[in-house]
Amino acid sequence: MLKKIATSSLKPGMYVANITQHGLSLHEHEREGRIKDQTTIQSLIKRGIKELYIDTDLGVDSPDAITLEASEKKLDTKIKDIAQTSEPERDVKSTSLSKELGKATKLHSEALDLVNNAMSSVKSGQSVDISPFEDMADNFMDSVVRNQNALACLSRIRKKDDYLMEHSVNVAVLMSILGKYLKLERAYLHQCVTGALLHDIGKILIPDRVLHKPDKLTEEEYDIMKRHATYSQKILQRNARFSQVSINVAAQHHERLDGKGYPLGLKGDEISKEARMASVADIYDAITADRVYHKGMTPSNALKRMMEWCGPHLDTHYVHSFIKAIGVYPVGSFVKLSNDKGAVVIEKNPDTLKPHVKVIYDFKTQSHTHVSVLNLSLEHCQERITQVLDPNDYGIKLKDFML
Ligand SMILES: [Fe+2]
């Protein structure tokens, strides 16, 4: 049985399991195997690995190890605690979701075209014109201030063949939402969002056999893929009008706090704040996306994995702020309610445990139900969220119900 254990509680004879999810190794301990002596344990501690998984069928068990189920529950509670420390006044919406959705839909589609066109320009050797990206960053920030749920909804609706463009746009949306929560200075956030829109532009220079490979990349192919961050940096540097902040987002979004990232292996404070925020947004979008070779995680599972990556990989402060900014049940989550109905989260409320939901499914009859919107925050509303589920397990296509 797989169990989770604090690295400090490891003992020789335990079998460390290497759980790789979505191409991202959970704790970067690439090798799995039996712990032979104290030296191995000390080296894991030295590398900043706080927790890892052991397989109790292959090695010694421990009363300090907890089951995966218990570990997930613990993370759930921690996420709820983090979200509940947020300040409600940070969530003021000046426009209704339905009103903002019209503007946001237009913006979102224009942003996809913009990124697409910039990629074509770069592929044909031309440089990127900054002005439309600056305008788009302004528009995203304004839309998020009016009502962040509109762009958040749109970023949950994906077409499988458009990943590169959608990912660039989504990271910019998430960066805008995080920046709004953190009350970042507008001029600085503007540079961050501009950089986010173009953070992966260098991927267009990666050979198609690597970029579009439907299977897991070999080590050699992964090395080629890693070059995209430097390519993105160089593409932006070609135009003197791009700020250093935007360039940092592009150049450093795959760096990790423990120095095990790429391209430079920068550590801790050597990584700019903008890149640390961008990597939170980048990872969240990447692991929630359906790709040819893996199924996207639910938003809630993504937040749990990101909690585990805090410290050696991701900046804890920005992960916690991100959770507060998008909520415990991010827009697009499929949830089970206490009345046995299934609903999709469509709007975050100041109490992030009680969002606006659209009821779409009846678990008793296992069929779709009359669609209705419910605000779980209203005083007279008795319903609460009991579980987060994967809509695919019930044959539900959320995009049919999000807008
Ligand atoms: Fe990237």
Side-chain angles (χ1 to χ4, degrees), residues 199-200 203 228 253-254:
H199 77 286
D200 264 350
K203 279 197 178 162
H228 81 271
H253 69 277
H254 287 292

mmCIF file of all heavy atoms in Angstrom, residues 199-200 203 228 253-254, ligand 1:
data_model
loop_
_atom_site.group_PDB
_atom_site.id
_atom_site.type_symbol
_atom_site.label_atom_id
_atom_site.label_comp_id
_atom_site.label_asym_id
_atom_site.label_seq_id
_atom_site.Cartn_x
_atom_site.Cartn_y
_atom_site.Cartn_z
ATOM 1 N N HIS A 199 4.931 33.924 -22.539
ATOM 2 C CA HIS A 199 5.959 33.161 -21.815
ATOM 3 C C HIS A 199 6.427 31.912 -22.561
ATOM 4 O O HIS A 199 7.559 31.489 -22.416
ATOM 5 C CB HIS A 199 5.487 32.812 -20.400
ATOM 6 C CG HIS A 199 4.508 31.679 -20.331
ATOM 7 N ND1 HIS A 199 3.191 31.801 -20.709
ATOM 8 C CD2 HIS A 199 4.657 30.375 -19.943
ATOM 9 C CE1 HIS A 199 2.574 30.650 -20.547
ATOM 10 N NE2 HIS A 199 3.444 29.763 -20.090
ATOM 11 N N ASP A 200 5.533 31.326 -23.350
ATOM 12 C CA ASP A 200 5.891 30.084 -24.051
ATOM 13 C C ASP A 200 6.083 30.289 -25.548
ATOM 14 O O ASP A 200 6.118 29.318 -26.298
ATOM 15 C CB ASP A 200 4.793 29.031 -23.827
ATOM 16 C CG ASP A 200 5.115 28.080 -22.690
ATOM 17 O OD1 ASP A 200 6.265 28.109 -22.197
ATOM 18 O OD2 ASP A 200 4.227 27.308 -22.302
ATOM 19 N N LYS A 203 8.294 28.152 -27.719
ATOM 20 C CA LYS A 203 7.951 26.760 -28.085
ATOM 21 C C LYS A 203 7.763 26.611 -29.591
ATOM 22 O O LYS A 203 7.917 25.524 -30.134
ATOM 23 C CB LYS A 203 6.689 26.320 -27.344
ATOM 24 C CG LYS A 203 6.974 25.878 -25.938
ATOM 25 C CD LYS A 203 5.822 25.069 -25.360
ATOM 26 C CE LYS A 203 6.185 24.596 -23.953
ATOM 27 N NZ LYS A 203 5.016 24.185 -23.197
ATOM 28 N N HIS A 228 12.920 26.069 -24.756
ATOM 29 C CA HIS A 228 11.897 27.060 -25.117
ATOM 30 C C HIS A 228 11.946 28.303 -24.220
ATOM 31 O O HIS A 228 11.631 29.404 -24.663
ATOM 32 C CB HIS A 228 10.496 26.428 -25.132
ATOM 33 C CG HIS A 228 9.858 26.308 -23.785
ATOM 34 N ND1 HIS A 228 10.014 25.225 -22.968
ATOM 35 C CD2 HIS A 228 9.055 27.161 -23.096
ATOM 36 C CE1 HIS A 228 9.343 25.400 -21.854
ATOM 37 N NE2 HIS A 228 8.751 26.576 -21.899
ATOM 38 N N HIS A 253 10.243 31.046 -15.985
ATOM 39 C CA HIS A 253 9.024 30.411 -15.473
ATOM 40 C C HIS A 253 9.191 28.925 -15.175
ATOM 41 O O HIS A 253 8.306 28.310 -14.578
ATOM 42 C CB HIS A 253 7.813 30.681 -16.373
ATOM 43 C CG HIS A 253 7.837 30.011 -17.711
ATOM 44 N ND1 HIS A 253 8.508 30.530 -18.790
ATOM 45 C CD2 HIS A 253 7.282 28.861 -18.136
ATOM 46 C CE1 HIS A 253 8.351 29.733 -19.832
ATOM 47 N NE2 HIS A 253 7.620 28.703 -19.452
ATOM 48 N N HIS A 254 10.302 28.308 -15.575
ATOM 49 C CA HIS A 254 10.549 26.898 -15.224
ATOM 50 C C HIS A 254 11.670 26.738 -14.200
ATOM 51 O O HIS A 254 12.133 25.628 -13.959
ATOM 52 C CB HIS A 254 10.876 26.075 -16.475
ATOM 53 C CG HIS A 254 9.681 25.840 -17.334
ATOM 54 N ND1 HIS A 254 8.628 25.028 -16.938
ATOM 55 C CD2 HIS A 254 9.353 26.318 -18.561
ATOM 56 C CE1 HIS A 254 7.711 25.025 -17.897
ATOM 57 N NE2 HIS A 254 8.116 25.802 -18.895
HETATM 58 FE FE FE B 1 6.988 26.886 -20.474
#
